Amino acid sequence: MVSHDKIQQTVLHLIYIFLCVLAIAPFVLLISSSLTDEATLMQTGYNFFPKKFSLYAYQYLFKSSSKIIRGIGITVFVTLLGTVLSVLLTILFAYPLSRKELPGRYFFSFVVFFTMLFNGGLVPTYMMYTQFFHIKNTIWALIVPSLLMNAFYVIMMRSFFSNSIPDALVEAARIDGAGEYRILAQVVLPLSKPMVATVSLMVGLNYWNDWTNSMYYITDEKLYSLQAILNNIINSITFLQESTQSNAAGLAASMPSTGIRMAIAVVGILPILCIYPFFQKYFVQGIVVGGVKG
């Protein structure tokens, strides 16, 4: 006779399989739509399998392949460098806040929390970065505005350090003569891999998906990130579709407007889908620990 635990386990497995299908289905539909002929897509709608296979959306998207490749290179560079610098600054800010002996600890914690509620606004921010930091039309325009530490990440990291790193380990390291930097590097960080990986993934996603910094601070097309290039393609197609000129309307009618949006989404999300499985274990563990103990 089947035991109660066996039945319960089977039901849970079926529920999780159903949830996985729900999570995967939108991506399958997205890829299928990007590979479907535009006319067929407009007539029959979205399907999980292309009724009429077509690569025209990708051909149109990559007709300026040099621009796309350059945008991918810039985005990869900005994502890697920005993530490393941002996570490093977050750790260096969060660790002192986690130490109870830090003078003015509550004041600095309040400053961090205050930035979650209020900000200076877009115009003062733009003036500060362009007139004082002089980052306009430089690669730093894609890194620096997002480099300043996100208060949410600082609070997550501080909570993890406070609740998951035993004070006895820190005190033992101090007794052995280790300084604060050595304690952080050799004691705290090795025990904080889940949280570091979690914050790194979040920061990396922000950098990869960012297109607003290009819009605000970049006018040189050679410095456009991948997301900015893809966003400009969408805007160009929208402009042609809304144009009242007959020649532009005829050109827009031949464009895979729906299919190209799907292809753009695939190009933008595919690298993240390839990287995410390697971070999933640390990401889930970091979120659980940060949520339970934070």
Side-chain angles (χ1 to χ4, degrees):
M1 188 171 181
V2 181
S3 64
H4 177 73
D5 292 340
K6 187 68 174 180
I7 296 177
Q8 185 179 23
Q9 188 177 23
T10 302
V11 172
L12 289 176
H13 285 168
L14 292 176
I15 293 175
Y16 288 133
I17 291 173
F18 176 72
L19 293 176
C20 288
V21 171
L22 290 181
I24 296 174
F27 295 105
V28 176
L29 188 63
L30 177 69
I31 296 174
S32 174
S33 301
S34 68
L35 297 173
T36 302
D37 178 71
E38 181 71 13
T40 304
L41 194 61
M42 297 300 294
Q43 292 175 1
T44 63
Y46 304 105
N47 294 280
F48 285 102
F49 299 97
K51 289 189 175 182
K52 186 176 180 181
F53 184 81
S54 174
L55 291 175
Y56 185 66
Y58 290 96
Q59 291 173 355
Y60 179 85
L61 182 61
F62 285 95
K63 68 179 182 179
S64 300
S65 58
S66 60
K67 184 184 296 185
I68 298 291
I69 293 174
R70 183 173 63 245
I72 292 176
I74 290 175
T75 302
V76 170
F77 174 78
V78 168
T79 300
L80 293 177
L81 181 60
T83 300
V84 171
L85 294 178
S86 182
V87 172
L88 179 61
L89 289 176
T90 300
I91 291 173
L92 292 178
F93 194 7
Y95 175 68
L97 291 180
S98 69
R99 308 316 307 162
K100 299 178 181 179
E101 61 272 17
L102 174 69
R105 177 191 180 203
Y106 293 104
F107 170 77
F108 291 113
S109 297
F110 171 77
V111 171
V112 173
F113 178 74
F114 185 83
T115 61
M116 296 180 66
L117 305 177
F118 305 97
N119 61 74
L122 179 59
V123 174
T125 301
Y126 178 84
M127 294 176 62
M128 180 183 68
Y129 286 133
T130 57
Q131 298 182 15
F132 293 94
F133 289 97
H134 302 288
I135 64 172
K136 188 172 183 178
N137 281 330
T138 66
I139 194 66
W140 294 106
L142 303 176
I143 298 176
V144 173
S146 302
L147 182 64
L148 300 180
M149 293 151 294
N150 187 298
F152 174 68
Y153 301 149
V154 174
I155 292 175
M156 281 182 60
M157 194 77 73
R158 181 205 63 182
S159 299
F160 185 89
F161 290 156
S162 298
N163 297 285
S164 301
I165 307 300
D167 291 336
L169 287 178
V170 177
E171 293 299 328
R174 286 176 180 166
I175 293 174
D176 290 338
E180 293 298 334
Y181 287 104
R182 188 172 182 181
I183 293 174
L184 176 62
Q186 298 185 1
V187 177
V188 176
L189 290 183
L191 298 175
S192 306
K193 290 181 180 179
M195 182 54 64
V196 173
T198 300
V199 174
S200 298
L201 182 60
M202 291 180 176
V203 173
L205 286 174
N206 290 339
Y207 273 107
W208 181 267
N209 294 323
D210 177 70
W211 58 271
T212 55
N213 287 333
S214 295
M215 182 178 68
Y216 295 152
Y217 307 110
I218 301 294
T219 57
D220 185 359
E221 293 186 356
K222 294 182 179 179
L223 294 175
Y224 278 170
S225 65
L226 174 64
Q227 305 299 339
I229 294 173
L230 299 180
N231 183 65
N232 288 340
I233 293 175
I234 292 178
N235 291 337
S236 299
I237 293 176
T238 302
F239 171 77
L240 290 176
Q241 288 180 326
E242 296 176 352
S243 175
T244 57
Q245 298 179 5
S246 59
N247 58 343
L251 179 61
S254 64
M255 288 184 178
S257 57
T258 304
I260 198 172
R261 285 176 170 83
M262 300 300 174
I264 286 173
V266 172
V267 172
I269 201 174
L270 187 59
I272 300 300
L273 291 179
C274 295
I275 294 175
Y276 180 77
F278 299 99
F279 286 85
Q280 182 180 11
K281 178 179 69 173
Y282 296 112
F283 180 75
V284 173
Q285 186 178 354
I287 289 294
V288 170
V289 174
V292 173
K293 295 186 177 181

